[in-house]
Amino acid sequence: GFDGTETSNSQRDPEANPTILSGNIGDLESRSDDSYHVVTFAPSEWAYALLDSVSVTRGKATGPANTNDNVGAGIYNETGTLFMNNCIIIDNGADDYGGGLYSDDGWFYLSKCTIENNKIVDVQGGGPGFDDWGGNGGGIALTNSAGTYISDCKFIDNYASYGGGIYGGSECWFNIADSLFVTNRALQGGGAIRVNECTFSVTDCAFNTNMTTNLILGSGAGGAIYASESDTEIEKTSFNGNSTSG
């Protein structure tokens, strides 16, 4: 947010002087050598950190299967608590979980952030045998009792097998308020959000033109939200133009 001529923090202008954290290393014209993670926060014991008014882009977590290198391309968080204000997470991709952000037993606090055009790269990972339907949480994925507070954020054009915008499983916890979900897509279920075995609340949000797009099996569940075996509360929230393929 600074151009180097300021004399106080109050002169910071993030829009005029953006800070971009990019995984685009090596050959700048190629995505093949982009970083597995742009930001990694994995403290050995509980700790917190703050990201304020930065953009995170061009992470590509396509490393070996069942490793940390194929989850959390934009931001990988393990056990820590990460506060994010006025950030943009854009154009990241992972194979298994969390194209934009991934948390394993950690917490995200997001305020006034935009999560846009993040995806699961290998949505139909099984190839001709269709034994692996790819990964979950194009925008954000939480596993292993992770949690998140999301307020006044936008989720736009994210894509995954389950949970185009957000995926949560394994006793995760979500509180989402005053946020917009638009044109997120999922192959199997939860165009915007997919939660399983979670505690999940949504208040004063809008879900517009999210969809499931399963063209192979001919069905997909939850154009906007697909919640199973979860304590779910939704109030003061609008749904417009969301669709399923089945």
Side-chain angles (χ1 to χ4, degrees), residues 43 170 173 185 216:
S170 305
W173 191 94
R185 298 173 296 128
I216 297 172

Side-chain angles (χ1 to χ4, degrees), residues 1-14 17:
F2 299 97
D3 64 11
T5 64
E6 297 84 1
T7 57
S8 70
N9 286 339
S10 64
Q11 294 175 290
R12 185 179 70 153
D13 187 343
N17 306 299

Side-chain angles (χ1 to χ4, degrees), residues 138-223:
I140 298 177
L142 276 65
T143 62
N144 298 327
S145 302
T148 186
Y149 285 89
I150 296 172
S151 176
D152 196 14
C153 292
K154 298 177 182 179
F155 290 77
I156 304 169
D157 290 335
N158 302 288
Y159 181 50
S161 181
Y162 284 98
I166 296 174
Y167 172 85
S170 305
E171 301 181 353
C172 292
W173 191 94
F174 290 85
N175 186 308
I176 306 171
D178 302 302
S179 294
L180 172 67
F181 294 79
V182 60
T183 58
N184 300 284
R185 298 173 296 128
L187 179 72
Q188 293 282 76
I193 299 174
R194 167 70 166 115
V195 291
N196 182 44
E197 299 180 352
C198 295
T199 299
F200 171 60
S201 68
V202 176
T203 306
D204 290 315
C205 292
F207 292 80
N208 302 330
T209 60
N210 304 284
M211 67 185 73
T212 58
T213 60
N214 193 337
L215 302 180
I216 297 172
L217 297 183
S219 64

Side-chain angles (χ1 to χ4, degrees), residues 17-87:
N17 306 299
T19 298
I20 300 172
L21 307 179
S22 176
N24 185 14
I25 60 174
D27 182 354
L28 300 183
E29 302 301 320
S30 172
R31 301 210 63 158
S32 64
D33 59 355
D34 287 358
S35 298
Y36 288 146
H37 317 289
V38 180
V39 175
T40 297
F41 186 53
S44 58
E45 58 186 37
W46 180 85
Y48 72 89
L50 169 66
L51 288 176
D52 191 343
S53 302
V54 301
S55 295
V56 177
T57 188
R58 289 292 294 267
K60 187 172 181 282
T62 56
N66 302 314
T67 71
N68 295 341
D69 289 337
N70 67 356
V71 301
I75 297 176
Y76 175 85
N77 176 36
E78 184 177 351
T79 72
T81 296
L82 188 59
F83 295 87
M84 300 175 58
N85 301 318
N86 297 301
C87 292

